[in-house]
Amino acid sequence: MQKIQNPILKGFNPDPSIIFVEPYYYIATSTFEYYPGVQIHRSLDLVDWDVVARPVTEDKINLRGVSESCGVWAPCLSHDNGIFYLVYSNVTLWTGAPFKDVANYIITATDIEGVWSKPIYINSSGFDASLFHDTDGKKYFVNMEWDYRNPEQDAFTGIILQEMDPKSFALLGTPRKIFLGTSRKLVEGPHIYQRNGYYYLLTAEGGTVSTHAATLARSQSIWGEYVLHPNTHLLTSDGYGCKLKKAGHASLCEGKDGWLMAHLVGRPEIEGRCPLGRETAIQNIEWIDDWAYVSGGGQSPSDFFEVPSTAQSKPKRKEIGFDKKSLSLRWQSLRKDVKHKYKADKNSIVLQGGNSWMSVIEQSTLVYRQQDFCFEASVRLDFSPEHFQHLAGLVYRYNEHNQYLLLMTKEGGKQYLTLHSVIDGVWDLDDFEKRYEVGDTVYLKLVVDREVGQYYFSQDNQNFLPIGKQIAVSTLSDESANPLGFTGAFVGVYVGDFSLHKHAAKFSNFVYKSDTHG
């Protein structure tokens, strides 16, 4: 047996839905306001995972105008009779108490890489929806229920189930509430499984914070009554001194390597915060008296899981290209496709400027997930700004209200590098009186060493000088966001043209290099 270290999907990869379709394992994770929606990883050996699809494209969702941490929540990936099914929620309002505006959809494909079908709208009664394929051919739709009527109490009022037409996806009959949750409250994230004559309902509870948990119940009828697991919670970090915190929102899978559970975790290693966001870990599962347990006993997540292989992990990618595959599977934009704004080849991209970095409509921004506590990101910038409304450079962001940008602009006939920051929505221009004059070509670099980050620049790609103050990395985290966020830190490129949305910048040779000690 080989021990594999958790988390297996590092950086912002929450709410995992895992399945096994011979010979591959697949995991789908949430993407929120980042486009394209839903990130699907694939692996042969549970060791190396590659993003193979982001199927929720503009013809399947409208994210323009959604606020931070809205958008695509908690996808459910399943497979039945040669067809992949993907259920996803589009949450367009979540801070507008007492309301939470959501729409749930299903798309299908015979190949994980597409083509995926047009979306079919299912319902809006709650988020975290999933699809269950029964052995008798029936299909069921399950989601949490949101009850707005008493905002002073828990609006997560249970899990509702409804039969679904297997061809048209029309809901049949009336929804029935099958589970109320436990005293931990905030019941969500439902998935149903079938084994040895039992239906198993796996839910998330406790909110996606330190009290998060995966709760398991079973019944001999899909409609209940569901009896709680002997431990109530199959998995939680709450009350345990484990390294992996926030454990919860899980899904189960039987594969060639036995039963597994994928679940989200957070690593609050930077001043008690998680700039890498909520990540995906895996636990081995064993069955005792027809109840699932984390292998080895206990309820807390292990730093490792075991696979019967000797697979060797591939070296981490360094240069991240701008070819078509990289742009669709490695880079992400905000809320919509920006392909109408760029021309790209293997190693470079010419990106037209657009709105400010505060826009929730459209930005000329392309970003790559932070996956390591220590990393270095660098890029060559070729840019000829004509005035102060033209800006381009390297962005390090969590959301619109928490980010840092090293940008070239022009003022008084000279080109300068300036460092902008937005913390809790407050914009600041660092060292305005100490701007650095540069030519049309400049090399920009960000070095992050756990708690702190530092921008650098060079005009010859050899001699780099620090610019601006050090960055407090913990500000780019769920815990620092106000209100609480659900994503993670990204690094990438940005172009602004606040006059005509036309002026372009060229970026080349983007490199993301992890530091192994981080």
Side-chain angles (χ1 to χ4, degrees):
M1 300 293 285
Q2 181 182 4
K3 285 189 173 182
I4 308 301
Q5 187 170 16
N6 278 316
I8 48 102
L9 301 183
K10 295 178 173 62
F12 164 46
N13 277 290
D15 311 323
S17 173
I18 186 171
I19 63 172
F20 176 73
V21 182
E22 185 71 37
Y24 293 107
Y25 291 92
Y26 299 92
I27 294 179
T29 57
S30 300
T31 46
F32 293 85
E33 69 265 33
Y34 288 90
Y35 175 90
V38 181
Q39 183 154 272
I40 301 178
H41 284 80
R42 180 172 66 191
S43 177
L44 274 170
D45 55 14
L46 296 169
V47 178
D48 283 306
W49 295 83
D50 294 307
V51 179
V52 293
R54 288 181 178 145
V56 183
T57 47
E58 278 191 319
D59 59 332
K60 297 174 178 61
I61 201 164
N62 181 7
L63 295 174
R64 285 171 63 90
V66 304
S67 61
E68 299 93 336
S69 291
C70 282
V72 178
W73 286 21
C76 172
L77 182 64
S78 61
H79 186 268
D80 185 51
N81 290 325
I83 298 174
F84 289 97
Y85 297 80
L86 182 66
V87 179
Y88 59 94
S89 302
N90 182 11
V91 179
T92 57
L93 177 71
W94 81 273
T95 57
F99 303 107
K100 193 180 297 288
D101 292 332
V102 61
N104 295 313
Y105 300 92
I106 292 178
I107 56 176
T108 62
T110 55
D111 187 324
I112 199 74
E113 298 183 39
V115 176
W116 288 82
S117 68
K118 292 181 179 180
I120 296 176
Y121 167 78
I122 306 301
N123 68 8
S124 294
S125 55
F127 50 90
D128 289 7
S130 67
L131 181 62
F132 172 66
H133 312 273
D134 208 335
T135 54
D136 61 5
K138 292 183 178 181
K139 297 190 187 303
Y140 298 86
F141 198 75
V142 58
N143 58 270
M144 64 79 68
E145 180 187 61
W146 181 265
D147 189 338
Y148 68 90
R149 290 174 295 180
N150 190 346
E152 295 181 359
Q153 295 182 1
D154 184 3
F156 296 66
T157 48
I159 302 301
I160 56 176
L161 178 72
Q162 196 164 1
E163 189 177 348
M164 167 179 281
D165 186 285
K167 293 184 179 180
S168 69
F169 299 141
L171 294 173
L172 306 175
T174 57
R176 290 171 57 179
K177 192 169 294 185
I178 60 170
F179 187 63
L180 298 177
T182 73
S183 59
R184 189 159 294 207
K185 298 185 179 182
L186 304 176
V187 61
E188 57 185 343
H191 295 285
I192 294 178
Y193 306 92
Q194 194 174 28
R195 181 184 182 274
N196 286 0
Y198 287 103
Y199 292 92
Y200 293 87
L201 176 63
L202 181 64
T203 62
E205 290 193 288
T208 185
V209 290
S210 61
T211 53
H212 209 196
T215 303
L216 188 64
R218 76 182 185 192
S219 170
Q220 291 183 316
S221 166
I222 194 168
W223 300 105
E225 177 179 353
Y226 282 88
V227 177
L228 282 170
H229 190 283
N231 293 336
T232 303
H233 306 299
L234 176 57
L235 180 78
T236 186
S237 303
D238 189 32
Y240 295 93
C242 49
K243 180 179 179 181
L244 302 176
K245 302 299 185 181
K246 302 183 180 182
H249 203 117
S251 63
L252 293 166
C253 167
E254 183 180 16
K256 60 184 177 181
D257 302 295
W259 279 85
L260 304 166
M261 179 170 60
H263 61 96
L264 75 77
V265 295
R267 291 183 287 169
E269 297 186 20
I270 309 302
E271 299 177 6
R273 296 172 175 175
C274 305
L276 298 190
R278 298 172 304 154
E279 306 171 281
T280 289
I282 285 179
Q283 304 297 324
N284 298 108
I285 292 294
E286 58 186 358
W287 291 87
I288 302 172
D289 296 330
D290 285 323
W291 283 112
Y293 291 85
V294 176
S295 292
Q299 295 174 284
S300 63
S302 171
D303 294 348
F304 298 90
F305 67 99
E306 292 186 336
V307 297
S309 70
T310 56
Q312 297 297 314
S313 183
K314 301 172 186 175
K316 292 186 179 181
R317 184 180 292 109
K318 292 185 179 180
E319 187 162 333
I320 312 299
F322 293 102
D323 57 281
K324 184 177 180 180
K325 182 176 181 181
S326 291
L327 285 165
S328 64
L329 298 180
R330 295 173 188 144
W331 295 95
Q332 286 194 276
S333 55
L334 287 158
R335 299 178 179 83
K336 74 182 304 295
D337 200 336
V338 293
K339 62 183 178 183
H340 63 290
K341 303 283 287 186
Y342 64 71
K343 293 181 180 179
D345 57 31
K346 183 177 180 181
N347 295 314
S348 65
I349 189 169
V350 177
L351 182 61
Q352 287 183 331
N355 291 336
S356 77
W357 50 87
M358 299 294 287
S359 174
V360 296
I361 303 299
E362 177 184 339
Q363 297 184 33
S364 294
T365 298
L366 287 167
V367 287
Y368 183 76
R369 275 168 178 72
Q370 179 180 345
Q371 299 159 57
D372 309 272
F373 290 116
C374 300
F375 75 93
E376 178 182 302
S378 59
V379 70
R380 169 176 166 160
L381 170 64
D382 291 282
F383 187 46
S384 300
E386 295 175 353
H387 51 73
F388 74 96
Q389 290 182 317
H390 294 161
L391 307 100
L394 190 62
V395 57
Y396 185 33
R397 78 184 311 274
Y398 176 80
N399 59 19
E400 279 68 49
H401 293 96
N402 296 275
Q403 57 183 314
Y404 301 86
L405 305 97
L406 178 58
L407 303 176
M408 184 198 295
T409 190
K410 190 170 187 176
E411 189 173 336
K414 296 180 180 181
Q415 294 176 183
Y416 295 98
L417 286 178
T418 54
L419 183 60
H420 302 253
S421 65
V422 186
I423 302 300
D424 290 332
V426 179
W427 169 81
D428 184 53
L429 183 60
D430 187 36
D431 291 336
F432 187 76
E433 299 301 324
K434 300 178 182 179
R435 294 173 295 173
Y436 290 84
E437 187 175 348
V438 292
D440 289 352
T441 298
V442 66
Y443 300 86
L444 308 178
K445 182 163 62 175
L446 171 67
V447 177
V448 170
D449 187 0
R450 298 188 68 83
E451 290 86 0
V452 297
Q454 179 67 59
Y455 274 115
Y456 296 84
F457 79 100
S458 171
Q459 300 198 74
D460 59 8
N461 203 26
Q462 298 294 323
N463 301 294
F464 281 85
L465 296 173
I467 181 169
K469 300 175 183 177
Q470 287 188 329
I471 291 168
V473 172
S474 70
T475 58
L476 306 181
S477 64
D478 292 354
E479 297 82 3
S480 182
N482 184 20
L484 173 74
F486 304 128
T487 56
F490 285 75
V491 61
V493 298
Y494 165 84
V495 186
D497 177 354
F498 306 156
S499 55
L500 295 173
H501 287 191
K502 289 184 178 179
H503 204 71
K506 181 179 181 180
F507 298 94
S508 308
N509 306 112
F510 181 90
V511 173
Y512 176 96
K513 183 170 58 175
S514 64
D515 189 328
T516 54
H517 80 267

